[in-house]
Amino acid sequence: MKKVKYFIIYFLCWIVFQSTDCNRDSFEDKAYLVSTLFKLSTLNDTLKVGDTLIVYAVLPDSLDVINLLTGDTTKQKINILKKSTSTCNLNLIDKELIKAISLDFSFPELRIQTKGMNGEFSKSYPFEVELKYILNKPGNYFLFSGYDNLLDINGVSDVAFKGDFDVNSKNFEILAPLGFEFQNHAQIVDEENIVSYFPFVVIE
């Protein structure tokens, strides 16, 4: 429950800063949020070259409607999903350049989507996504799902999506090649349920 509160507070702050006009007449007094879990084909953070990592998620039956003035939350049934941004992405850490390379964009041939399209949820019920990543190179990797993914649900175009990777423990030492600041920040925002990471390594 504490993690949910952290995320709601962070999300509400983000909504406020996205608004360029503080006039009450132009301020939307509701925020929309949908949360789900990413199921992984393995909970092991050490895989081998040639393995396939499968990521699956399905949207819940309803989303949360948050009253920004009172903080009250109500449920709204999900009837129509028009579009969604990419649900999550896989990154390979380049230790020489000290940066993360998105395999979804740089090497799209390594991602096979069996449910949904373009990294998004399917547009018909059940609203689900399934991605298969072919791991053909050793190294340090991490899956990432951020707070700024937006869905168009029931005619509302800015429904925030939050996906958590359903794993029991995470080894953030795997992110060390990106520097201590990145590693520490990633662990903090993950523990506070603002964004979600799943670090893992691929060996020969």
Side-chain angles (χ1 to χ4, degrees):
M1 189 64 183
K2 182 179 180 181
K3 289 186 175 182
V4 174
K5 290 181 179 178
Y6 269 124
F7 175 70
I8 291 176
I9 292 172
Y10 189 93
F11 172 71
L12 297 184
C13 290
W14 177 76
I15 289 292
V16 170
F17 281 112
Q18 291 300 306
S19 175
T20 56
D21 187 351
C22 295
N23 189 298
R24 174 63 63 86
D25 293 335
S26 64
F27 180 73
E28 175 62 51
D29 63 358
K30 293 180 181 179
Y32 302 83
L33 169 67
V34 60
S35 303
T36 191
L37 289 175
F38 289 108
K39 302 288 186 178
L40 305 180
S41 57
T42 179
L43 301 182
N44 194 340
D45 61 12
T46 301
L47 292 91
K48 293 184 177 181
V49 170
D51 285 349
T52 298
L53 177 63
I54 303 174
V55 183
Y56 174 81
V58 60
L59 291 183
D61 292 334
S62 60
L63 56 86
D64 293 326
V65 181
I66 306 165
N67 187 312
L68 300 180
L69 302 180
T70 65
D72 295 334
T73 300
T74 57
K75 297 287 185 180
Q76 182 182 112
K77 182 176 175 56
I78 298 177
N79 296 310
I80 301 173
L81 174 64
K82 287 188 176 181
K83 68 179 181 68
S84 63
T85 55
S86 295
T87 52
C88 69
N89 60 76
L90 178 63
N91 299 270
L92 170 63
I93 298 176
D94 188 317
K95 296 181 180 180
E96 293 184 0
L97 299 178
I98 314 179
K99 71 174 186 178
I101 301 173
S102 172
L103 271 67
D104 295 77
F105 297 104
S106 299
F107 303 97
E109 68 275 10
L110 300 180
R111 186 183 78 180
I112 301 171
Q113 184 157 2
T114 54
K115 300 180 187 298
M117 291 182 63
N118 301 320
E120 302 180 13
F121 287 95
S122 57
K123 301 304 187 294
S124 58
Y125 184 86
F127 307 108
E128 55 187 349
V129 62
E130 184 174 81
L131 305 169
K132 295 183 178 180
Y133 290 101
I134 302 170
L135 306 173
N136 67 350
K137 184 177 181 180
N140 293 29
Y141 292 75
F142 65 91
L143 282 166
F144 171 80
S145 178
Y147 66 89
D148 55 349
N149 294 330
L150 298 178
L151 282 67
D152 188 324
I153 297 177
N154 298 345
V156 180
S157 61
D158 57 352
V159 177
F161 169 76
K162 179 67 174 67
D164 290 312
F165 299 108
D166 190 17
V167 294
N168 297 324
S169 62
K170 302 176 181 181
N171 182 7
F172 285 92
E173 290 292 332
I174 294 172
L175 303 181
L178 292 174
F180 175 77
E181 288 188 6
F182 182 93
Q183 175 189 337
N184 187 55
H185 178 264
Q187 184 167 358
I188 290 173
V189 295
D190 183 275
E191 290 177 350
E192 293 184 352
N193 208 36
I194 297 170
V195 300
S196 189
Y197 286 85
F198 175 58
F200 63 96
V201 296
V202 175
I203 60 177
E204 294 283 5

